[in-house]
Amino acid sequence: MSEKAVNGGAPRCGKVLTLDTMNQNVRRVEYAVRGPMVQRAVQIAEELKTGVKKPFTEVIKANIGDAHAMGQKPITFLRQVLALCAYPALLDNDEFPEDAKKRARCILDGCGGQSIGAYSTSQGIECIRKDVARFIERRDGGIPCHHDDIYLSTGASDAIVTMLKLLVCGEGRERTGIMISIPQYPLYSAALTELGAMEIDYYLDEDKCWSLDVKELRRALHAAREHCRPRALCIINPGNPTGQVQSRECIEDVIRFVKEEKLLLMADEVYQDNVYADGCEFHSFKKVLFEMGPEFSSVVELVSFHSTSKCYMGECGFRGGYMEVVNLDPEVKAQLSKLVSVRLCAPVSGQALMAVVVNPPQPGEPSYATFTKERAAVLANLAEKAKLTEEMFNNVPGFRCNPVQGAMYTFPRITIPQKAIDQAKAEGQAPDQLYCMKLLETTGICLVPGSGFGQREGTYHFRMTILPPTEKLKYVLEKIKEFNQQFLQDYS
């Protein structure tokens, strides 16, 4: 019997693209935030819809920092301006405040054909980049920022991957190495795997609230130089998944370190408004760099990132973001501009949202009172839930939870009995993955095992977002406590 071609192409056994012939770096990519746990959660949600009986009635996806999916309401002013941009006929509607109309007109004036449906320049709409530059200057106490150093992007993630593409080169011992924190956000390890770069792990100190010690940076760097050429250091502040907020002293130490070791510094600052703990304050790397004087500010290559997806906005779906480059070689900057032009431009709706985020209502404008009230309420609610999560988890036997100083997650350390560890190994999975999968099957609560972010050998964690509404969060915390008690009993 002859073989038949599939879809008019080659016979099935003669596929051009197979697991063996595809890019093997892509095969090695792992992204735990949307990995096997989430895939199973989706299956369970479908089973519930078809009437399959479970010991719970819904799947609660506490695995990802998606604020609106968890019930957070959009900020009124942001959506008003976006609505006006999307449907300019509303500019004649008296129900929209004048400050929202003013911003929408400015954005539309910067768009081709006065429509956000038109492509923008690859670096982003100029008037929006100027607004971003003014925002950074205000944030950093007047330190100059030029709009030509701003690149609008598809969320912060796209900008981060773009910079990594510029950095990665070489083979063998000359292969590029990038320093990333452990625990880390899996975007970094996934991108480095895809690009064929070397991941240089440095460990945050769990015993000191996930603090960063430059001695650990030096240890990791010197060990890595035996195998690769380190070229950049990535910092997430406030931290994901660990929720720590770096002190100014720590930031200064990091800047001295990258100058001395001739590394480019990548500062992921997408949670800069999400600071809750007393005594903690967000310090931008750029501000600290320039306050340290020309000895540092004239030579340290810094790229910092921000996003509309986090903070008080939570507008993940619009994919708005930016990066600022400092001290980048002009010839490399030209290559960066070329690289971003290949993707034409970031979503213009996301650019428009960023324009409003960096240029919110000011005192005296009609939307100011409502905007400040809504913004403060979101951040106060997150601060309350951060404290609630820490307190409740520290009352769970076998749990140890550091204060959630910032960001949107908790990363508690959990105790897993040896019997469960042995079972997980026999099944070819990490012990905390076994724990999280059993939690999902028992309670419908979807978390991400700590092994997906990296952790010290012999320790186990999971990441959980603090975004669910307060009452649902209390329910989740209680269910985890009940499950943990039964889990320890079953495997004792």
Side-chain angles (χ1 to χ4, degrees):
M1 185 176 179
S2 62
E3 292 179 319
K4 291 184 179 180
V6 179
N7 295 330
R12 184 177 298 276
C13 64
K15 290 282 188 185
V16 172
L17 189 61
T18 68
L19 283 177
D20 291 330
T21 62
M22 69 176 287
N23 184 332
Q24 295 304 295
N25 284 341
V26 173
R27 280 192 71 181
R28 287 189 283 270
V29 167
E30 295 181 2
Y31 187 64
V33 175
R34 296 196 179 208
M37 209 65 56
V38 181
Q39 294 165 16
R40 178 57 186 146
V42 171
Q43 291 174 352
I44 291 174
E46 290 300 316
E47 290 171 6
L48 287 171
K49 287 180 183 178
T50 61
V52 176
K53 296 299 180 183
K54 303 280 184 182
F56 48 86
T57 58
E58 67 171 328
V59 172
I60 301 174
K61 293 182 180 178
N63 61 295
I64 195 166
D66 191 346
H68 291 188
M70 286 289 176
Q72 180 178 310
K73 300 301 182 186
I75 299 296
T76 302
F77 186 75
L78 303 185
R79 287 299 181 88
Q80 285 176 330
V81 177
L82 287 170
L84 291 164
C85 289
Y87 191 55
L90 293 173
L91 288 165
D92 296 326
N93 190 316
D94 292 337
E95 293 183 14
F96 286 82
E98 283 304 315
D99 49 353
K101 291 180 180 180
K102 178 182 177 181
R103 283 161 178 76
R105 290 188 184 102
C106 288
I107 294 166
L108 290 171
D109 284 345
C111 296
Q114 292 196 318
S115 171
I116 62 170
Y119 287 129
S120 77
T121 58
S122 297
Q123 195 168 340
I125 296 171
E126 184 177 24
C127 65
I128 298 177
R129 289 188 285 116
K130 287 181 176 179
D131 281 341
V132 171
R134 284 190 285 267
F135 161 79
I136 293 172
E137 286 186 357
R138 291 194 305 272
R139 182 198 67 186
D140 293 344
I143 293 168
C145 177
H146 198 280
H147 72 276
D148 281 344
D149 294 329
I150 304 298
Y151 291 76
L152 302 182
S153 58
T154 308
S157 300
D158 182 58
I160 290 166
V161 173
T162 298
M163 284 308 305
L164 291 175
K165 285 181 179 178
L166 283 178
L167 281 160
V168 172
C169 63
E171 296 180 354
R173 290 187 62 175
E174 290 300 307
R175 182 166 59 145
T176 294
I178 307 291
M179 301 185 71
I180 64 173
S181 64
I182 298 296
Q184 53 102 23
Y185 179 52
L187 164 70
Y188 291 91
S189 56
L192 294 176
T193 299
E194 181 183 352
L195 294 170
M198 179 74 76
E199 176 184 326
I200 304 172
D201 296 339
Y202 65 89
Y203 288 88
L204 302 176
D205 190 342
E206 184 173 12
D207 292 334
K208 295 181 179 178
C209 205
W210 299 111
S211 65
L212 171 58
D213 188 338
V214 172
K215 291 179 183 176
E216 169 60 13
L217 292 180
R218 296 195 189 284
R219 179 207 63 78
L221 181 74
H222 294 157
R225 281 184 169 145
E226 298 294 319
H227 311 286
C228 66
R229 184 185 173 199
R231 304 192 71 201
L233 168 64
C234 300
I235 303 277
I236 308 175
N237 180 49
N240 176 11
T242 44
Q244 85 285 0
V245 178
Q246 300 293 359
S247 68
R248 183 189 174 94
E249 180 184 9
C250 174
I251 292 172
E252 290 178 356
D253 288 343
V254 167
I255 290 170
R256 293 187 188 95
F257 171 78
V258 295
K259 177 180 181 291
E260 180 181 333
E261 300 294 348
K262 295 181 173 57
L263 300 172
L264 181 143
L265 178 57
M266 296 175 63
D268 182 338
E269 299 175 333
V270 302
Y271 298 98
Q272 57 190 256
D273 287 336
N274 299 110
V275 178
Y276 318 120
D278 292 340
C280 289
E281 181 182 354
F282 170 75
H283 301 278
S284 79
F285 271 86
K286 183 186 178 185
K287 183 175 189 289
V288 176
L289 173 65
F290 276 78
E291 289 178 346
M292 290 173 71
E295 175 189 355
F296 297 93
S297 62
S298 63
V299 294
V300 170
E301 296 159 80
L302 169 67
V303 186
S304 58
F305 307 91
H306 195 17
S307 168
T308 63
S309 300
K310 310 303 176 184
C311 296
Y312 64 91
M313 303 85 71
E315 294 279 11
C316 303
F318 280 96
R319 310 307 300 130
Y322 74 75
M323 64 178 165
E324 180 190 11
V325 299
V326 176
N327 291 324
L328 204 63
D329 185 300
E331 293 181 346
V332 173
K333 196 173 173 184
Q335 296 299 313
L336 170 59
S337 297
K338 178 184 73 176
L339 188 57
V340 298
S341 72
V342 172
R343 298 189 182 182
L344 298 178
C345 67
V348 176
S349 56
Q351 294 185 45
L353 178 61
M354 180 58 78
V356 193
V357 169
V358 299
N359 187 18
Q362 298 301 306
E365 291 188 310
S367 300
Y368 179 73
T370 299
F371 172 80
T372 53
K373 181 180 178 181
E374 290 179 349
R375 180 184 184 278
V378 169
L379 295 175
N381 183 247
L382 286 169
E384 175 189 325
K385 291 188 288 190
K387 189 67 174 174
L388 172 69
T389 302
E390 175 199 346
E391 291 175 349
M392 290 193 69
F393 272 159
N394 280 326
N395 283 321
V396 177
F399 273 41
R400 177 185 168 195
C401 184
N402 273 317
V404 183
Q405 296 176 332
M408 298 177 171
Y409 316 97
T410 181
F411 198 67
R413 183 170 174 174
I414 59 177
T415 300
I416 298 183
Q418 188 60 47
K419 185 177 177 181
I421 294 172
D422 293 341
Q423 179 180 326
K425 289 180 179 178
E427 295 175 359
Q429 60 181 321
D432 47 18
Q433 183 174 2
L434 171 74
Y435 182 97
C436 289
M437 189 64 78
K438 287 190 174 295
L439 173 73
L440 174 62
E441 298 285 357
T442 304
T443 67
I445 297 168
C446 181
L447 307 177
V448 190
S451 49
F453 299 88
Q455 54 198 348
R456 285 194 180 275
E457 187 173 352
T459 68
Y460 306 104
H461 304 78
F462 60 74
R463 187 188 81 161
M464 186 189 84
T465 178
I466 63 171
L467 289 172
T470 302
E471 290 307 311
K472 181 165 282 190
L473 180 62
K474 289 179 180 177
Y475 169 82
V476 167
L477 294 169
E478 287 291 347
K479 284 296 178 183
I480 292 174
K481 182 177 181 179
E482 291 173 11
F483 167 81
N484 185 73
Q485 183 177 359
Q486 188 63 51
F487 183 86
L488 294 179
Q489 183 177 321
D490 291 346
Y491 285 97
S492 61

